[in-house]
Amino acid sequence: MTDISTSTLPAGLGDQSPRRPDARRLRLTSPAGWTTAFATAALLLYTTLTTGVFLDIRYVLAALRTTGKSGMSPSEVFTHRPFFYRWLIAGLDSVTGGSNAVREALMRLIGLALCAAAGLLLHRALRSRIPQRDAMLVSGLAALTLAFAPVIDYLQPEWFAIVFAICAIATALGVRNRWQAVALAALPLGLAVLMKYSTAGTAAMALLIVFAVDRVRALLLAATTAVATGLLFAVSAWSGSREVQWLRDMPHINAHALGSDPIVVSELLRRTAEYLGDRIALTPVLALLPGALLLFSATLTSRRRRVEATIVTLLLVAGGLSAVVYQGNWFAYHGENLPVVAGALTGLAIGRWYGRYGRPPLCLTVLAFLLGVADPLLTLVRDDVNVDTLAWYACAASLVAALVDLLRARTAGRPRSTFRVPVAVPTLALVVCLAVTVWPTSGVRIILGKVVTTNAELKVQARSAETAAKQVDAELPPGADVLYLSFGQQAYYIDHPTSCRYPFPTFLNVPKLLTEVPSLTSSRENVRCITQEHPAAYAVYQPSWLSLGVIDKQVAADIRNTYNCPKPTTGQQLVVCTLRHPD
C-alpha cells in the first residue's frame, strides 16, 4: 500500500497541488455552484419536512417512550437494538418536541447536522493529504450520500455506524500525532461496532481505508479499537441492563442467520446478487461504482497502485455484504455502507479526472444525471419491469461510460480552450442521482426486483396505523397501563405506558419451528409480563402480527387464559383485550 501522506504525486499530476488553479475548491460563487447549492438544500429540506422516519425507528421510539412513562431507562428496555443505540435515539428524542411529525422532522434535521459534521471532519483530514478539490468531493459526496439515504436507512444503527466510522477515519488521518490520532479515533470506531454488533463490518471497512493510507496507524487503530470496544461493552453490561443475556438470546430468534441451515454456495451467491440488484435500484449511485473504479484506476501511474485500488474496493464491497449475508434477512438497510463507498469513490474519481485532464468525465456525469431522472419515470411501467435487471444494466452502462470517457481523454488530451466545466456540474448530476430517494414514487422496499413499497405508500401505511391507534386510544382510560401484543409502530401512535421490560413481544412472536426459543431467559421474562400476579388491565392485540396459531402453543394459551380478546371486525388492525380475572 502507498502512504498518501508521504508519497509524491505521480508524474503528470503535479498540477493537482492545492495551490494550483486546477485544485481549487468547488466555487459556490459561480452560477453552477449556486445552482448546485440551492438544489441540494431544497431537496434536503423537502425530504426533511416530508419523509419522516421508518417504522423500525418508530418501533424503538415507541419502546423507549412507553416504558419511560413507567420509569424505566433505555438501559433496562429490550428494543432489538443494543445499549448505545438505544441511548443515542433516546437522546435525539429528548431534544425534540411537538407532534410526532414535528419530532420526526427535527430528528431528521439533527441527522443532517451529523452528516455535515462528519463530512467537515473528513474534509479537514483529507485536505492535507490530497488536493483540495478531491478532498471536497470525497467528503462532500460521502456526507450527501448519508443525508439522502432512503427512509429505510436513515437513523438506523447501520447509518449511525457509518457516521461514527467516518469520524474515526477523519480523526485517525487528520490528527498529526499518531498516538493521539488512534487514541481519539478508537472511541467513535468502537461505537460504530456497538451500534448493532453486526456493524463491526462497517468498522472493519473504516480500518481498511485507513490501512490503504497509513499502515501503521491502521494497525494501532485496530488494537486500540478492540480495547475501546471491550470497555464500552463492559459499560453497557454493568449499567443495569441485560446486555449479555440479550446478546446471547437474540441469535436464536433469527431463523435466517448464516449457519442456521446448511450453506449452499450457489444459492448464497444467487441471493447476494439479487440483494445487490435491489440495493442498486434503491440507491442508483451504487451503479456508478464500477465506472468510478475504472476512472480512478486510470489516473494512477503504476500497475501496482491500480491493482491495490481494485483490491481495496472489492474488499470494501465484500465487507459491506458480509453483514448482510451473515444476518440472512436481506434487509436493505443492512447494506447502507455500500452506497457511501460508491459516492465517495465517484467523487474521488471525478476530482482526479479533473486534475489529470482538466474536465469532468462527461459520459459518467451524464449517466449519473440520467439515473436520477429516470427513476420517477419508471413509475409508468414499474409493474411490468424487474428493476433488478435495470440495476445491473446500469452497472454495465457505468463501465461503458467510463471506457468511453477514457478513450476520449486519451485521444483528446487536455482541453485547449480556456473554457472549463465547473466541478459543480458533475456534483449537481450526482446530487440528482442521490436525490432519487426523496420522490414519493421512489421505492422504499424492493424485494427480488419488485417495488413492494414506495415513499407515498409508506405514508399511507403510517396514516392507517395512526387511525387504528386512535380507535384503540378511545377505548382505553387516559394514561392506563397496557400490555402491547402488537408491533411498535402501532404503539408509537397509541403511546400508553407499559411496565413490561419487553414492550413488544419479540421473543414471543416466533414460529413454532424455533423450538429452543421458549426456553430462553428472555422468552421466560417476556411471558411473565402476561402471567405475573398483577398483569396490566388492558392489552392491545394485533392479530396480523402476533398470530396465536403460529407462535408457541403454551404462549398462545397463556395469552388466552389471561386476556379476553374480542374477534376483530373486517379491516380492524387492533383490538383491546381486557383482563379475565381483574383484582
Side-chain angles (χ1 to χ4, degrees):
M1 292 291 178
T2 302
D3 187 335
I4 295 178
S5 63
T6 58
S7 61
T8 57
L9 288 172
L13 297 184
D15 56 352
Q16 284 191 335
S17 167
R19 297 180 178 84
R20 297 295 184 94
D22 280 353
R24 60 180 176 268
R25 300 173 188 235
L26 209 165
R27 287 170 44 192
L28 297 180
T29 54
S30 68
W34 279 116
T35 301
T36 301
F38 178 79
T40 303
L43 288 168
L44 288 175
L45 180 62
Y46 172 80
T47 190
T48 299
L49 296 177
T50 63
T51 304
V53 298
F54 193 58
L55 53 89
D56 286 358
I57 311 302
R58 291 177 182 147
Y59 175 105
V60 177
L61 288 169
L64 296 174
R65 290 176 185 176
T66 56
T67 55
K69 290 182 176 181
S70 295
M72 283 185 275
S73 75
S75 300
E76 306 171 82
V77 180
F78 179 83
T79 67
H80 217 285
R81 296 292 185 264
F83 175 89
F84 287 101
Y85 180 75
R86 298 197 300 272
W87 275 104
L88 181 56
I89 290 295
L92 291 180
D93 192 40
S94 68
V95 298
T96 64
S99 65
N100 283 325
V102 172
R103 298 180 79 170
E104 290 181 9
L106 289 173
M107 290 186 72
R108 291 191 66 93
L109 190 61
I110 295 171
L112 291 183
L114 293 174
C115 293
L120 289 172
L121 284 174
L122 184 61
H123 174 257
R124 183 174 182 179
L126 293 179
R127 68 185 182 183
S128 62
R129 294 175 176 269
I130 59 178
Q132 290 272 22
R133 175 184 49 230
D134 297 6
M136 177 70 79
L137 287 170
V138 172
S139 58
L141 286 170
L144 285 174
T145 306
L146 278 172
F148 282 114
V151 64
I152 197 172
D153 294 343
Y154 205 82
L155 302 182
Q156 292 274 19
E158 288 79 2
W159 186 92
F160 276 110
I162 300 169
V163 174
F164 284 123
I166 291 176
C167 292
I169 293 171
T171 305
L173 299 180
V175 176
R176 186 178 300 274
N177 183 280
R178 179 178 288 166
W179 289 101
Q180 291 179 357
V182 297
L184 292 172
L187 177 60
L189 202 56
L191 288 172
V193 174
L194 294 177
M195 283 295 98
K196 199 181 166 185
Y197 305 125
S198 59
T199 50
T202 297
M205 294 167 69
L207 283 172
L208 178 61
I209 292 171
V210 176
F211 186 82
V213 179
D214 190 319
R215 292 191 186 113
V216 175
R217 291 194 183 213
L219 294 174
L220 292 173
L221 180 57
T224 54
T225 300
V227 175
T229 303
L231 292 174
L232 288 170
F233 182 78
V235 169
S236 70
W238 294 334
S239 65
S241 72
R242 286 167 163 77
E243 217 63 24
V244 176
Q245 172 191 314
W246 292 336
L247 179 60
R248 182 184 63 246
D249 289 353
M250 280 177 59
H252 292 282
I253 63 176
N254 183 5
H256 307 289
L258 188 67
S260 59
D261 294 313
I263 298 175
V264 180
V265 175
S266 59
E267 178 66 17
L268 196 62
L269 291 175
R270 180 191 65 80
R271 190 63 189 89
T272 302
E274 291 171 344
Y275 174 83
L276 270 175
D278 293 341
R279 185 70 236 196
I280 294 167
L282 183 66
T283 46
V285 70
L286 188 53
L288 301 177
L289 183 61
L293 176 60
L294 178 60
L295 292 182
F296 172 64
S297 299
T299 65
L300 303 176
T301 56
S302 70
R303 178 179 297 178
R304 180 177 65 84
R305 295 188 67 190
R306 289 192 288 271
V307 170
E308 287 177 349
T310 302
I311 291 174
V312 168
T313 303
L314 291 176
L315 287 175
L316 288 173
V317 173
L321 287 173
S322 62
V324 180
V325 174
Y326 174 74
Q327 293 174 91
N329 293 313
W330 308 104
F331 295 152
Y333 58 83
H334 290 167
E336 160 63 5
N337 43 29
L338 295 175
V340 178
V341 170
L345 182 60
T346 304
L348 181 60
I350 290 174
R352 291 185 63 89
W353 201 258
Y354 263 98
R356 184 158 188 170
Y357 297 107
R359 59 173 175 263
L362 178 63
C363 295
L364 194 69
T365 299
V366 171
L367 177 62
F369 181 80
L370 290 177
L371 290 175
V373 300
D375 188 85
L377 300 179
L378 283 178
T379 56
L380 302 175
V381 293
R382 180 167 279 161
D383 290 340
D384 302 319
V385 172
N386 185 302
V387 295
D388 280 5
T389 302
L390 295 180
W392 288 112
Y393 279 141
C395 286
S398 75
L399 275 176
V400 173
L403 282 171
V404 173
D405 281 326
L406 186 58
L407 291 174
R408 289 180 68 251
R410 288 182 175 177
T411 55
R414 293 184 66 88
R416 297 178 181 178
S417 172
T418 57
F419 174 76
R420 294 177 182 269
V421 179
V423 183
V425 171
T427 304
L428 179 60
L430 286 169
V431 167
V432 172
C433 184
L434 291 171
V436 161
T437 59
V438 311
W439 309 123
T441 55
S442 296
V444 173
R445 294 177 63 234
I446 301 176
I447 301 176
L448 300 180
K450 297 298 180 183
V451 178
V452 177
T453 310
T454 64
N455 282 322
E457 291 167 347
L458 192 67
K459 288 184 179 180
V460 172
Q461 293 174 6
R463 285 195 294 268
S464 176
E466 186 174 11
T467 300
K470 288 180 179 178
Q471 294 171 352
V472 166
D473 196 50
E475 300 181 44
L476 294 171
D481 192 76
V482 302
L483 176 71
Y484 289 103
L485 301 174
S486 65
F487 186 67
Q489 180 164 236
Q490 278 67 27
Y492 178 74
Y493 295 111
I494 298 170
D495 203 28
H496 271 255
T498 182
S499 300
C500 183
R501 185 186 299 272
Y502 301 83
F504 315 118
T506 307
F507 280 94
L508 307 185
N509 187 26
V510 294
K512 288 182 285 188
L513 59 90
L514 298 178
T515 55
E516 76 281 1
V517 174
S519 63
L520 299 175
T521 302
S522 301
S523 299
R524 294 196 299 269
E525 289 178 347
N526 207 162
V527 169
R528 281 200 291 272
C529 294
I530 303 168
T531 61
Q532 62 184 318
E533 184 178 356
H534 301 290
Y538 300 92
V540 178
Y541 175 49
Q542 184 181 3
S544 62
W545 184 75
L546 188 69
S547 175
L548 299 185
V550 173
I551 64 175
D552 180 75
K553 291 181 179 179
Q554 184 58 53
V555 173
D558 289 335
I559 293 174
R560 292 190 180 100
N561 292 336
T562 306
Y563 290 100
N564 179 30
C565 297
K567 185 177 181 180
T569 60
T570 302
Q572 188 177 10
Q573 296 182 28
L574 302 170
V575 295
V576 175
C577 307
T578 55
L579 199 61
R580 285 189 181 275
H581 307 290
D583 295 337

